[in-house]
């Protein structure tokens, strides 16, 4: 089994394998770190951070839907300073490769966070552009190519860490957004974030989520995610990190064949805490069976 | 390292309309689990339903090395559970959550359960035995009374339709009791409106109170922040805590009952 090279190069960082965790589904690694060594993962992408602590949305925040789930956590997090002081050292002690995921209400907030993270041990910074931009009247950054370009370019100027731009699927043309991220200097793109959705309880005649709307994730979104990864990988020269509904190695291999150089596991953690490590092993077995000598050879290898 | 456990079903039988008693074999677990903790159970043979379902420990059978869970069939997940037969296995995470804070010095406690919320209190009743007054509230049909009576000599039932025991809300019985009997702690589990009333009664009678809360869960282990409930911080601000990890048991006075 050791005959295949599982490592991948993303945004200038060498990951020991192509499997990372999806932001917001893995906390700061503490809980799932009780199930396996975090250094077995390609990378740990931590819960979305904001400049200041955020309380998050009122409950209920989750519900199951056919082959998926909705969440409206609302970016509850202790803030970037707390992360740097308390959570990051613990993760680094465990030998994890850490990617910080950040959300800002303005370009300046993204830059401030990047400056702080630049001086830390994180391997890269992922920009979550799905949250509303206060200055632009509440329009999410990730929905307009010129805003994506602008925030990516500015963040790149503010620090030295590689920048991964996370794309929202709630757009008409995801390729246009991915191109803007690449043009702005993004070192990689990751997709997809959750699809804006809702559920209704007909007996109480109320939305199920306290926040009315939430994000759909899990197997239900996989075909959409695969299509988007395939489109984006065909259009940009920077690496693509694929996610959306990956439950097992088979799903992960699909994303890599579609053009993703790495994959992230989100909702699957809730179903099976060992999912990421089982996926790593499964990809390795697949490579051996198919006669690939490295994961990178399999990237985009659709025939 | 922790891992998902595969537990064998010993017995799974109805004990009242739509309510089942599920006995699972696991020696080590039986020694480890605390009253108030829960298990996060995969309720489908294949991938769906996707998310696990949280079900509390009801009581342990130490001599058999078994844990007993009592559940009400609610939807797809619990429907699947009810179809499990002896010899089948279940994929289980846990025990999870904090459980009740058990102080063995207490001379007198009151244990209050409403409906299926009676189930998570049985093990606790066993710990306090005759130092516990147990209040069990039902809509109509009663269940688990024998198991409670085996653990405490003082079990009082209330039914809303008056078909058994006191006719009315179980909280009426609690109020009466607290007025007459000095009590060190009240432990409660049940529907939120009932818990809110219990919390109010305890506050007014200056008795400590621990409540076990429910919220929709995804991960069950504290990673997703999906199961939050509002609590009041000391400085008066509101914070969200995780029912699965910081709870499911909370001190009644910290819970924000109006959220
Ligand atoms: C900590 C905890 C302990 C619990 N202990 C018990 C117990 O001992 N016995 C028992 O009968 N029930 C218990 N419940 C409630 C039980 O989890 C739900 O009845 C069950 O999840 C319903 O699943 P379903 O697929 O049958 O129903 P559906 O209504 O189809 O479920 C749909 C979704 O909603 C969630 N959901 C529905 N009702 C609840 C609820 N009341 N609380 C949390 N999530 C819910 C489900 O988990 C699922 O994700 C507990 C809940 C929690 C949070
Ligand atoms: C509970 C939950 C919380 C999430 N929080 C974040 C977040 O803070 N930042 C972010 O960029 N994405 C967040 N996401 C999106 C995931 O990282 C991922 O993009 C999405 O869930 C699709 O992958 P999946 O189907 O494997 O879960 C969250 C998803 C879930 C389910
Ligand atoms: S269910 Fe995920 S934090 Fe509680």
């Amino acid at each position: 089994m050791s005959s295949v090279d599982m490592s991948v190069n993303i945004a200038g960082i060498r990951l020991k394998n192509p499997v990372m965790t999806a932001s917001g589904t893995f906390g700061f690694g503490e809980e799932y770190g009780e199930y396996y060594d975090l250094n077995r993962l390609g990378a740990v992408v931590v819960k979305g951070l904001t400049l200041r602590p955020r309380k998050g949305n009122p409950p209920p925040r989750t519900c199951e839907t056919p082959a998926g789930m909705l969440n409206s956590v609302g970016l509850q997090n202790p803030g970037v300073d707390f992360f740097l002081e308390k959570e990051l050292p613990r993760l680094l002690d465990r030998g994890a490769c850490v990617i910080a995921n950040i959300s800002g209400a303005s370009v300046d907030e993204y830059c401030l966070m990047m400056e702080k993270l630049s001086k830390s041990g994180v391997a890269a910074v992922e920009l979550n552009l799905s949250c509303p931009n206060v200055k632009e009247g509440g329009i999410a950054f990730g929905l307009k190519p010129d805003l994506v370009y602008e925030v990516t370019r500015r963040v790149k100027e503010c620090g030295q860490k590689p920048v991964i731009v996370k794309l929202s699927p709630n757009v008409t043309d995801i390729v246009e957004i991915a191109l803007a991220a690449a043009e702005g200097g993004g070192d990689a793109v990751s997709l997809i974030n959750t699809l804006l959705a809702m559920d209704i309880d007909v007996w109480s005649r109320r939305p199920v989520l306290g926040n009315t709307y939430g994000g759909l994730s899990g197997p239900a979104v996989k075909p959409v995610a695969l299509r988007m990864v395939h489109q984006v990988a065909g259009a940009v020269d920077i690496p693509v990190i694929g996610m959306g509904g990956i439950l097992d190695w088979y799903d992960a291999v699909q994303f890599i064949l579609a053009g993703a150089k790495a994959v992230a596991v989100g909702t699957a953690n809730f179903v099976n805490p060992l999912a990421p490590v089982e996926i790593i092993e499964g990809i390795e077995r697949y490579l051996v069976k198919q006669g690939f000598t490295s994961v990178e050879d399999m990237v985009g290898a659709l025939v | 390292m922790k891992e998902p456990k595969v537990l064998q079903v010993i017995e799974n039988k109805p004990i009242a309309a739509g309510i089942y008693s599920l006995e699972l074999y696991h020696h080590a677990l039986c020694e480890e689990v605390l009253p108030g903790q829960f298990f996060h159970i995969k309720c489908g043979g294949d991938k769906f339903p996707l998310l696990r379902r949280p079900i509390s420990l009801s009581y342990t059978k130490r001599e058999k090395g078994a844990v007993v869970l009592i559940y009400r069939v609610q939807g797809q997940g619990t429907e699947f559970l009810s179809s499990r037969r002896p010899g089948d296995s279940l994929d289980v995470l846990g025990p999870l959550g904090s459980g009740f804070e058990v102080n063995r010095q207490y001379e007198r406690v009151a244990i209050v359960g409403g409906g299926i919320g009676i189930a998570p209190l049985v093990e606790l009743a066993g710990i306090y035995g005759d130092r516990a007054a147990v209040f069990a509230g039902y809509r109509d049909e009663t269940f688990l009374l024998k198991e409670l009576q085996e653990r405490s000599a003082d079990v009082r039932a209330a039914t809303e339709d008056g078909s058994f025991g006191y006719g009315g809300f179980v909280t009426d019985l609690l109020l009466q009791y607290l007025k007459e009997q000095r009590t060190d702690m009240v432990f409660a589990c049940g529907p939120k409106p009932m818990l809110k009333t219990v919390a109010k009664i305890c506050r007014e009678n200056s008795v400590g109170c621990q409540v076990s809360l429910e919220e929709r869960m995804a991960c069950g282990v504290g990673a997703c922040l999906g199961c939050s409930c509002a609590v009041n911080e000391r400085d008066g601000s509101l914070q969200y805590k995780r029912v699965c990890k910081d709870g499911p048991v909370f001190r009644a006075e910290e819970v924000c009952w109006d959220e």
Side-chain angles (χ1 to χ4, degrees):
Chain A
M1 289 271 292
S2 54
S3 56
V4 293
D5 181 3
M6 285 288 282
S7 71
V8 290
N9 197 338
I10 294 255
I13 42 175
R14 193 97 210 149
L15 305 182
K16 68 173 68 161
N17 64 60
V19 178
M20 43 179 93
T21 59
S23 176
T25 65
F26 207 74
F28 296 106
E30 198 180 337
E31 295 80 14
Y32 291 116
E34 294 183 357
Y35 288 85
Y36 55 88
D37 284 329
L38 297 179
N39 65 12
R40 290 173 69 183
L41 298 169
V44 172
V45 183
V46 298
K47 173 66 199 165
L49 299 166
T50 49
L51 191 57
R52 274 173 286 279
R54 268 177 72 105
K55 288 189 161 72
N57 287 328
R61 290 175 171 185
T62 51
C63 74
E64 181 156 351
T65 55
M69 63 171 283
L70 307 187
N71 90 82
S72 58
V73 171
L75 287 173
Q76 178 181 341
N77 81 93
V80 68
D81 292 331
F82 184 92
F83 165 74
L84 287 170
E85 200 179 313
K86 296 281 195 295
E87 305 288 0
L88 182 61
R90 219 175 20 216
L91 276 163
L92 295 175
D93 276 348
R94 292 169 163 217
C97 171
V98 182
I99 297 176
N101 174 288
I102 61 172
S103 288
S106 65
V107 176
D108 289 343
E109 279 195 18
Y110 279 102
C111 285
L112 266 170
M113 281 189 274
M114 181 55 156
E115 279 168 17
K116 288 171 187 272
L117 290 161
S118 263
K119 298 175 213 128
S120 78
V122 303
V125 175
E126 182 177 61
L127 309 182
N128 175 5
L129 300 182
S130 303
C131 57
N133 173 5
V134 179
K135 277 202 184 129
E136 282 281 321
I139 296 177
F141 284 95
L143 305 187
K144 285 175 127 191
D146 49 338
L147 284 178
V148 172
Y149 169 81
E150 179 65 12
V151 70
T152 309
R153 190 181 60 80
R154 288 278 308 283
V155 170
K156 278 298 286 180
E157 284 170 7
C158 293
Q160 293 74 48
K161 300 289 180 186
V163 170
I164 301 164
V165 182
K166 185 162 179 178
L167 309 181
S168 164
N170 305 311
V171 295
T172 317
D173 182 3
I174 194 140
V175 169
E176 180 184 61
I177 309 281
L179 287 169
E183 213 175 306
D187 299 284
V189 286
S190 59
L191 63 156
I192 59 173
N193 210 319
T194 54
L195 280 144
L196 198 58
M198 98 182 265
D199 197 12
I200 292 173
D201 178 344
V202 299
W203 303 114
S204 65
R205 282 190 275 132
R206 286 190 186 159
V208 175
L209 295 176
N211 188 52
T212 306
Y213 302 136
L216 175 65
S217 65
V221 310
K222 191 184 74 169
V224 177
L226 267 179
R227 183 267 294 177
M228 289 185 161
V229 164
H230 186 249
Q231 283 181 319
V232 168
V236 297
D237 294 327
I238 53 177
V240 175
I241 301 165
M243 73 191 90
I246 297 177
L247 280 191
D248 55 24
W249 69 266
Y250 186 93
D251 300 329
V253 165
Q254 288 183 312
F255 275 86
I256 300 172
L257 290 174
K261 212 167 178 186
V263 294
V265 179
T267 303
N269 292 299
F270 310 155
V271 181
N272 174 13
L274 301 177
V277 287
E278 288 176 5
I279 288 170
I280 296 168
E281 290 161 4
I283 295 173
E284 197 164 348
R285 278 196 304 275
Y286 173 84
L287 290 172
V288 172
K289 255 193 208 140
Q290 294 295 305
F292 287 109
T293 53
S294 75
V295 196
E296 295 213 348
D297 288 346
M298 197 224 314
V299 176
L302 275 183
V303 292
Chain B
M1 290 276 159
K2 292 187 181 170
E3 56 182 358
K5 300 181 174 81
V6 178
L7 302 195
Q8 274 236 320
V9 176
I10 305 173
E11 191 177 77
N12 190 19
K13 57 162 206 262
I15 57 166
I19 296 178
Y20 284 71
S21 169
L22 171 66
E23 203 172 308
L24 299 169
Y25 178 75
H26 199 291
H27 245 293
L29 200 69
C30 173
E31 295 298 325
E32 176 191 352
V33 63
L34 303 169
Q37 287 191 306
F38 69 95
F39 299 99
H40 214 27
I41 308 176
K42 186 82 186 85
C43 291
D46 191 28
K47 287 176 181 169
F48 309 109
L50 188 65
L51 300 174
R52 291 167 182 270
R53 302 293 191 255
I55 304 288
S56 297
L57 168 78
S58 184
Y59 56 96
T60 55
K61 285 190 175 172
R62 290 258 149 84
E63 68 292 351
K64 267 172 114 176
V67 293
V68 180
L69 318 187
I70 309 287
Y71 61 93
R72 185 173 53 210
V73 174
Q74 169 92 14
Q76 233 191 330
T78 43
E79 185 77 51
F80 169 86
L81 270 192
S82 71
S83 72
R84 297 294 84 193
R85 297 285 160 259
D88 289 350
S89 51
L90 284 171
D91 173 350
V92 172
L93 297 184
L96 301 172
S98 57
F100 290 102
E101 204 182 306
V102 174
N103 182 336
R104 287 176 199 266
Q105 309 300 310
Y106 290 155
E107 283 165 18
R108 188 120 289 270
V109 304
I111 295 176
V112 194
I116 197 68
I118 293 164
L121 299 167
V122 179
E123 183 79 358
L124 187 72
I127 290 180
Y128 285 106
D130 288 343
R131 287 179 288 159
V134 181
F135 301 88
Y138 305 88
R139 184 162 301 142
D140 37 46
E141 191 183 5
T142 64
F143 51 87
L144 284 175
L145 275 177
K146 182 172 73 65
E147 285 77 3
L148 290 170
Q149 281 155 354
E150 282 165 9
R151 289 166 174 78
S152 163
D154 188 2
V155 178
R156 311 175 190 200
T159 51
E160 284 171 39
D161 68 353
S163 59
F164 185 86
Y166 170 78
F169 288 128
V170 69
T171 44
D172 301 345
L173 295 179
L174 175 72
L175 177 61
Q176 199 57 42
Y177 182 80
L178 293 184
K179 290 217 152 105
E180 291 161 7
Q181 176 72 49
R182 202 190 59 77
T183 305
D184 296 314
M185 182 62 71
V186 174
F187 300 95
C189 184
K192 197 124 183 213
M194 179 202 111
L195 293 180
K196 187 175 172 178
T197 307
V198 171
K200 181 168 170 275
I201 292 174
C202 290
R203 195 172 57 240
E204 287 168 2
N205 290 276
S206 309
V207 183
C209 177
Q210 298 177 29
V211 293
S212 179
L213 299 182
E214 284 186 3
E215 194 45 78
R216 285 166 184 268
M217 291 183 177
C219 73
V221 299
C224 74
L225 309 181
C227 62
S228 301
C229 70
V231 298
N232 302 306
E233 291 288 286
R234 286 218 174 77
D235 63 5
S237 70
L238 178 153
Q239 286 287 345
Y240 289 114
K241 281 199 179 172
R242 299 163 299 181
V243 169
C244 71
K245 184 89 176 181
D246 306 312
V249 180
F250 292 88
R251 286 181 299 109
E253 59 279 15
E254 71 176 324
V255 176
C256 187
W257 294 102
D258 302 320
E259 254 292 295

